[in-house]
Amino acid sequence: MSRNTLAKAISVIESRKRNAEFKAYRNIETLQQDPEWVAVDKQVRMCNINIAKDKLQGNDPTENKRQLARLLLKRNAVLKSHGMSQKDLLPQYSCQKCNDTGFVNGEKCSCLRREVTHLLLNDCGYFDRNCTFENSTETNADNKKVYNACLTFCQKMQETRLRIILLMGKTGTGKTYLANAIANKAIENQQSAFVITAYSLSELFLKGHLSGQEDKLAMLEDLMDVDLLVIDDLGVENTFTNVTNEYLFALINERIQRGNKTVISTNLTIAQIQQRYDDRIFSRIADQKLSMVLHLDGEDKRLTTK
């Protein structure tokens, strides 16, 4: 996941911790305005000190313990009059494992991992959460091999030398579903993912190109930094002179350099990709050392599925 996503998640967890501690502080502050509470609380503390002295000096603490029991009943009655109980005097953390610190023995707590996943899901574009490997109804034997190759890629995403998966095939063969399944699995594995159509990406390039330098750099940095970028339906986008190809090359090339992964789905053939895009883009997408080109076969599922 990106450092920014983790930082946001930690900030959310820390905010819960501060809120819990502030609420307990406010409860105590309210009680401090009640003279009856101040008096009985002081007596409780003094009684505890006396019990400790009894034990230290070898005296019988029984009487002081009885006094403490009576004082605690009185103090609880004062608490009840304020609509509180003893637990309201201590921070009520959302996570009992880490007390809202986000970490247990130096490892990320489950509450922090859940928050990271929540943020990743909110930041992943037009991503379809229902498209998963587990939900797939693919029956084509060759396509199942493609699915298995993509699943292996997901499981080894952090260590594999591959940088690009190119999903090819006719319209309706399940490329978009598989691309989203890969994004789902990446998020499940605590990797950041962003899904965008090639059409929207080209429009984003144009918007960035026409905006200020700072906005342009921010737009590119977000796309370059995400662990997994899915570009769906490459080849249907509008092509803007001196914009589309230039920014697409810069994006893909920089992601390769950073070791981030990119999934591209397209209806185009290899020859059509080479013809439509300049040689620099084609050489990156079709690089046999860095890319895995996969083909999905079959008829249009959107027409054949009942």
Side-chain angles (χ1 to χ4, degrees):
M1 79 194 75
S2 69
R3 291 188 297 272
N4 187 45
T5 300
L6 180 59
K8 286 182 180 178
I10 291 174
S11 178
V12 170
I13 299 298
E14 289 179 342
S15 177
R16 292 175 188 165
K17 179 179 175 65
R18 288 193 300 271
N19 288 340
E21 292 174 348
F22 180 71
K23 185 174 181 180
Y25 169 78
R26 288 298 300 273
N27 287 339
I28 293 173
E29 191 177 54
T30 297
L31 291 170
Q32 292 295 336
Q33 307 303 312
D34 184 343
E36 186 179 8
W37 165 263
V38 173
V40 72
D41 187 54
K42 182 178 180 180
Q43 290 174 323
V44 166
R45 284 187 278 111
M46 288 302 300
C47 201
N48 277 318
I49 291 173
N50 290 334
I51 291 172
K53 284 182 179 179
D54 287 339
K55 291 180 179 179
L56 187 63
Q57 296 171 359
N59 298 326
D60 184 2
T62 302
E63 184 55 39
N64 278 320
K65 286 185 176 180
R66 288 173 179 167
Q67 175 68 7
L68 178 62
R70 289 191 293 269
L71 289 170
L72 288 176
L73 286 174
K74 185 176 180 181
R75 191 172 75 162
N76 287 338
V78 177
L79 280 171
K80 189 175 181 180
S81 71
H82 286 273
M84 301 182 197
S85 65
Q86 186 63 33
K87 72 175 184 178
D88 293 310
L89 305 184
L90 298 172
Q92 299 303 300
Y93 297 114
S94 300
C95 179
Q96 301 305 311
K97 295 179 183 178
C98 69
N99 287 340
D100 291 347
T101 63
F103 295 89
V104 178
N105 298 324
E107 299 293 329
K108 289 193 287 291
C109 182
S110 57
C111 69
L112 178 57
R113 293 197 298 270
R114 284 195 301 272
E115 190 58 38
V116 167
T117 300
H118 175 72
L119 290 172
L120 293 175
L121 287 171
N122 286 342
D123 291 335
C124 60
Y126 85 118
F127 166 79
D128 189 338
R129 302 183 190 185
N130 294 316
C131 296
T132 66
F133 287 97
E134 293 75 17
N135 290 342
S136 171
T137 57
E138 182 60 66
T139 57
N140 182 291
D142 290 330
N143 288 353
K144 284 185 177 181
K145 292 179 181 178
V146 171
Y147 270 68
N148 288 334
C150 290
L151 182 57
T152 299
F153 168 81
C154 292
Q155 293 166 342
K156 299 181 177 180
M157 190 175 293
Q158 291 182 291
E159 58 193 67
T160 181
R161 64 176 177 79
L162 291 172
R163 298 291 182 266
I164 297 175
I165 288 185
L166 182 61
L167 299 176
M168 308 182 71
K170 296 178 181 178
T171 299
T173 51
K175 300 183 298 299
T176 296
Y177 183 99
L178 180 53
N180 275 271
I182 296 171
N184 258 306
K185 186 61 68 174
I187 291 174
E188 181 182 316
N189 294 335
Q190 296 284 293
Q191 300 294 305
S192 57
F194 189 81
V195 182
I196 189 170
T197 64
Y199 178 89
S200 295
L201 183 61
S202 186
E203 296 291 328
L204 187 62
F205 287 155
L206 180 61
K207 181 179 178 181
H209 182 72
L210 297 176
S211 63
Q213 184 69 12
E214 185 175 338
D215 291 338
K216 184 189 306 183
L217 292 175
M219 176 269 292
L220 286 174
E221 180 60 30
D222 287 343
L223 292 173
M224 291 172 176
D225 191 51
V226 67
D227 296 322
L228 176 72
L229 176 65
V230 174
I231 304 174
D232 189 35
D233 226 358
L234 187 73
V236 303
E237 72 278 6
N238 294 322
T239 301
F240 303 108
T241 304
N242 298 324
V243 175
T244 304
N245 281 354
E246 285 72 8
Y247 281 81
L248 183 59
F249 169 75
L251 174 62
I252 292 175
N253 188 61
E254 181 62 25
R255 289 185 58 76
I256 290 173
Q257 297 302 317
R258 296 188 186 192
N260 292 330
K261 318 302 182 188
T262 307
V263 173
I264 301 172
S265 72
T266 183
N267 297 333
L268 302 177
T269 64
I270 286 291
Q272 289 171 331
I273 293 175
Q274 187 171 19
Q275 182 180 10
R276 180 179 175 91
Y277 301 96
D278 65 35
D279 290 339
R280 298 177 304 163
I281 295 174
F282 177 76
S283 67
R284 298 301 188 275
I285 292 177
D287 188 324
Q288 294 182 355
K289 294 181 180 179
L290 299 175
S291 300
M292 180 164 59
V293 180
L294 300 171
H295 295 263
L296 288 168
D297 299 320
E299 300 301 322
D300 190 335
K301 291 180 173 61
R302 289 169 291 190
L303 297 179
T304 58
T305 302
K306 296 182 180 179

